[in-house]
Amino acid sequence: MSRLFDKILKPQRLRIVCNGHPALRRVSSPITVVDDEIRQLAARMIVTMQENEVVGVGLAAPQVGVNLRLIVIDTYFDDEESKTAMSAGEILLNPRMPLALVNPEIISYSEEKCSSEEGCLSLPEIHGDVERPARVMLSASTLEGEKIMVECGSLLARCLQHEIDHLNGVLFYDKLSEKEQKIADPQMKELEKREKALL
Ligand code: ZN
């Protein structure tokens, strides 16, 4: 009974595609109308991000094989450290997470950069340091059509840049040092082999 109930009401997980799937290397198209199909996709992406062996802080539509400019994020952790010096974006968006953003865009970057370790649900077991601008100005819409324009910092800024890169066919692997790329290469090749076998 409850399983049937779950099946009807709960959005179903989607398969996360890995390195080697062509959707990860395409430039995704803007969303012109947010209809039930887009809302359903966003709901399924949120479940997919959360109910994974490794819980993600963000997921972009190309990672489920859909080349549309849609991302979901969940970078809010209810701990003391996250509450100090929150950016305007964190103050605005944290209470709404997990959150879907439609046609997200970075319209400006801080000169200050910072480096931190990243991973990606489409590149399992690969990690490495990526240098990115510390703060970004985000422009996006919500599923309800609200326009957002806000400065974001910390993990939120990093996650937005990583996910928006996906919409442009860019993977965090591309931004690793040559040395870290070399370390990741055997796993990248293995993932590609497995993904191509599924296509
Ligand atoms: Zn990723």
Side-chain angles (χ1 to χ4, degrees):
M1 179 71 185
S2 72
R3 276 178 66 190
L4 180 68
F5 196 66
D6 266 8
K7 225 175 178 175
I8 296 164
L9 290 185
K10 203 171 160 222
Q12 299 293 297
R13 272 189 58 171
L14 295 156
R15 181 173 90 85
I16 295 177
V17 304
C18 289
N19 183 50
H21 193 288
L24 292 177
R25 289 307 192 178
R26 287 188 195 123
V27 176
S28 291
S29 308
I31 292 171
T32 47
V33 183
V34 175
D35 53 16
D36 281 347
E37 215 171 303
I38 297 291
R39 275 187 284 271
Q40 181 67 10
L41 174 62
R44 295 185 73 180
M45 283 170 60
I46 286 172
V47 170
T48 306
M49 167 176 68
Q50 292 175 328
E51 294 184 6
N52 204 57
E53 267 173 60
V54 182
V55 176
V57 294
L59 189 71
Q63 293 182 273
V64 293
V66 178
N67 281 113
L68 289 173
R69 302 190 83 83
L70 177 69
I71 65 171
V72 296
I73 53 168
D74 193 4
T75 54
Y76 177 52
F77 301 99
D78 190 13
D79 58 25
E80 283 313 308
E81 203 191 333
S82 326
K83 282 180 192 150
T84 53
M86 279 203 294
S87 64
E90 291 162 281
I91 292 166
L92 178 72
L93 303 180
N94 280 356
R96 305 185 190 188
M97 289 189 191
L99 175 69
L101 294 171
V102 176
N103 299 329
E105 215 182 319
I106 305 292
I107 53 170
S108 65
Y109 301 86
S110 66
E111 269 179 40
E112 187 200 332
K113 296 195 173 176
C114 63
S115 192
S116 192
E117 194 181 76
E118 291 190 19
C120 178
L121 295 176
S122 294
L123 309 181
E125 291 165 44
I126 295 173
H127 299 274
D129 286 322
V130 181
E131 191 186 68
R132 297 187 186 270
R135 293 176 309 283
V136 297
M137 185 64 84
L138 166 74
S139 160
S141 297
T142 64
L143 290 176
E144 292 75 35
E146 182 190 345
K147 300 261 183 275
I148 288 170
M149 174 102 68
V150 72
E151 190 186 29
C152 303
S154 312
L155 176 63
L156 174 60
R158 177 165 295 276
C159 176
L160 288 167
Q161 292 176 79
H162 177 118
E163 300 312 331
I164 293 170
D165 275 352
H166 275 301
L167 305 183
N168 296 320
V170 174
L171 299 174
F172 89 91
Y173 166 88
D174 307 342
K175 303 195 164 185
L176 295 176
S177 66
E178 231 174 277
K179 196 176 144 205
E180 286 193 312
Q181 280 186 343
K182 278 217 172 77
I183 296 168
D185 278 343
Q187 175 69 354
M188 286 292 276
K189 288 211 175 78
E190 180 57 33
L191 290 170
E192 190 173 344
K193 209 170 88 189
R194 271 190 257 164
E195 192 63 50
K196 293 244 156 95
L198 292 171
L199 289 178

